[in-house]
Amino acid sequence: MIIKLRQNADKAQVEHLTHWIQEYGVEIHTVTGKMDTILGLVGDTSRVPLERIQSLEIVEDVKRIQEPYKNANRKFHPDDTVVQAEEARIGGGHFGLIAGPCSVETEEQIIQVARNVKAAGATMLRGGAFKPRTSPYSFQGLRGKGVRMLLNAKEETGLPIVTEIMDLSQLPLFEEVDVIQVGARNMQNFELLKELGHLRKPILLKRGLANTLEELLMSAEYILAGGNEQVILCERGIRTFETATRNTLDLSAVPVLHQLTHLPVVVDPSHATGKAALVPSMALAATAAGADGLMIEVHNDPAHALCDGPQSLTPDAFADLSRRIFTFRETLCGLSSQPEKEEAE
Ligand code: PEP
Ligand code: MN
């Protein structure tokens, strides 16, 4: 962080400021020129309150030259984080294939889809029980009953489950859930994020519709700062002026996030495009971009799905895509193909 002081700043006030900043454990290097005085702060400046410094009379300008997140920052944690749910791992070379319907609709539906996606190589089962719908008249999800159906599907197939929480009050229902999803609309629900930081369970954090990657990382920071290190980031498309697709898939988010953070990054081409026909190409593109996994909506009967049918793959289309993804990883990237059956360590 660099602080530029006003010309003829009061000496006593400058001294007071430097002492106060030193309390944050950073070193201060002062450069005094003919006209200006500059303070260079070295060390972990993530807790130094930029806005309070900015508002001081003796300060002309403040610039952060270091990212405002520490726990999520690759600089402080160079090795990739590997997130684990049951036997499934994501990150550090482990590829996660998360698949399932947008919403859990019936026990038969979720069990059938779970069997189908498992046979096709999925490593985790997704399914929404609490659904954030734009219209209050749309299907809102089966709530607690839906979570229980997912748990039954897990028992049938062994696939760990991923499902979305929308509100803190729902937390008791998520005790047996393997991965808790925070949806795009809740990416900046800071109270929720803080609470999830107290858990010791993987969180899949989706990028908000209109959020920058730095904001996504600051939201992850909330969870990490609470001591929960198991965070998966998810790029799911952002709002742009383009209307041909539901959202615009920001694929460059994958390599950018890999530079900035050690957390695994998965891509959701279903919500990004909104169209089943576009999902395979974007899933493969995300794989080529180095994504640590994919989250793909699969429905046994997309035409009659209660939510997001147009973007859902049939089980057959998913099986075909899964083969292409694993072949692609093997042949082009030299990466392992099928989901790991890890040997005991
Ligand atoms: C979902 O994954 O079911 C979902 C609602 O996605 P998003 O939060 O990305 O819109
Ligand atoms: Mn959906």
Side-chain angles (χ1 to χ4, degrees):
M1 187 180 286
I2 291 175
I3 303 172
K4 185 176 179 212
L5 300 177
R6 285 196 195 285
Q7 282 175 24
N8 56 47
D10 179 77
K11 267 204 171 142
Q13 281 181 305
V14 173
E15 222 166 88
H16 186 262
L17 172 64
T18 51
H19 282 132
W20 176 54
I21 291 172
Q22 275 160 346
E23 283 170 22
Y24 290 93
V26 295
E27 254 178 66
I28 303 180
H29 296 265
T30 308
V31 183
T32 314
K34 267 193 192 140
M35 307 282 280
D36 303 306
T37 303
I38 307 257
L39 307 181
L41 277 52
V42 184
D44 174 16
T45 57
S46 49
R47 286 174 196 273
V48 177
L50 182 142
E51 284 171 11
R52 276 177 67 190
I53 295 173
Q54 180 88 71
S55 66
L56 298 174
E57 222 175 280
I58 55 166
V59 171
E60 189 173 306
D61 202 7
V62 185
K63 284 221 162 24
R64 236 182 227 294
I65 52 168
Q66 188 175 296
E67 301 78 15
Y69 44 88
K70 183 183 180 214
N71 292 287
N73 200 328
R74 198 182 270 286
K75 280 184 194 151
F76 298 104
H77 187 310
D79 296 337
D80 288 342
T81 285
V82 179
V83 173
Q84 179 152 11
E86 302 284 2
E87 295 198 345
R89 294 181 192 192
I90 298 184
H94 304 273
F95 194 78
L97 188 53
I98 307 167
C102 181
S103 313
V104 181
E105 297 174 8
T106 64
E107 178 117 9
E108 297 69 48
Q109 172 238 18
I110 192 65
I111 288 178
Q112 187 190 324
V113 176
R115 286 195 178 123
N116 292 149
V117 298
K118 177 163 187 190
T123 59
M124 292 193 203
L125 174 68
R126 65 147 285 149
F130 295 94
K131 292 305 306 175
R133 305 302 302 277
T134 300
S135 166
Y137 309 117
S138 301
F139 176 58
Q140 301 287 307
L142 297 181
R143 305 176 73 82
K145 250 174 35 187
V147 176
R148 282 196 295 280
M149 289 176 187
L150 276 166
L151 289 167
N152 291 343
K154 176 184 177 180
E155 207 163 294
E156 284 288 321
T157 59
L159 285 179
I161 58 170
V162 184
T163 193
E164 177 169 353
I165 191 167
M166 282 174 56
D167 187 80
L168 264 182
S169 60
Q170 296 152 2
L171 200 51
L173 296 166
F174 283 69
E175 239 165 59
E176 294 173 68
V177 168
D178 300 287
V179 179
I180 301 181
Q181 176 173 325
V182 175
R185 289 151 194 84
N186 261 316
M187 189 203 89
Q188 288 191 313
N189 182 340
F190 301 118
E191 288 301 315
L192 180 61
L193 299 176
K194 275 189 239 173
E195 210 54 48
L196 298 177
H198 296 139
L199 306 182
R200 295 295 175 266
K201 175 188 288 266
I203 309 296
L204 188 142
L205 178 64
K206 297 189 91 173
R207 180 179 184 181
L209 278 67
N211 285 109
T212 63
L213 295 177
E214 183 166 294
E215 286 164 342
L216 173 62
L217 290 168
M218 290 307 285
S219 290
E221 189 75 11
Y222 266 89
I223 302 169
L224 299 168
N228 186 356
E229 296 173 352
Q230 299 272 291
V231 179
I232 305 163
L233 303 172
C234 180
E235 163 59 39
R236 46 77 72 206
I238 49 173
R239 276 281 165 89
T240 67
F241 52 82
E242 182 55 69
T243 54
T245 47
R246 184 175 178 180
N247 292 286
T248 298
L249 180 56
D250 178 11
L251 263 190
S252 55
V254 177
V256 171
L257 287 170
H258 278 154
Q259 279 176 357
L260 298 175
T261 184
H262 50 88
L263 297 173
V265 182
V266 304
V267 170
D268 169 353
S270 307
H271 290 90
T273 62
K275 294 176 181 170
L278 304 180
V279 168
S281 46
M282 297 324 285
L284 289 162
T287 308
D292 300 290
L294 294 162
M295 180 186 246
I296 296 174
E297 285 190 340
V298 179
H299 196 284
N300 52 325
D301 182 6
H304 295 100
L306 295 181
C307 184
D308 286 349
Q311 68 192 34
S312 300
L313 298 186
T314 60
D316 283 350
F318 175 72
D320 182 52
L321 174 58
S322 173
R323 267 192 297 276
R324 292 169 69 196
I325 290 165
F326 288 121
T327 307
F328 180 78
R329 272 177 62 79
E330 207 164 13
T331 55
L332 288 184
C333 310
L335 301 166
S336 74
S337 62
Q338 285 297 320
E340 354 255 313
K341 291 266 183 295
E342 285 295 323
E343 60 288 343
E345 284 172 321

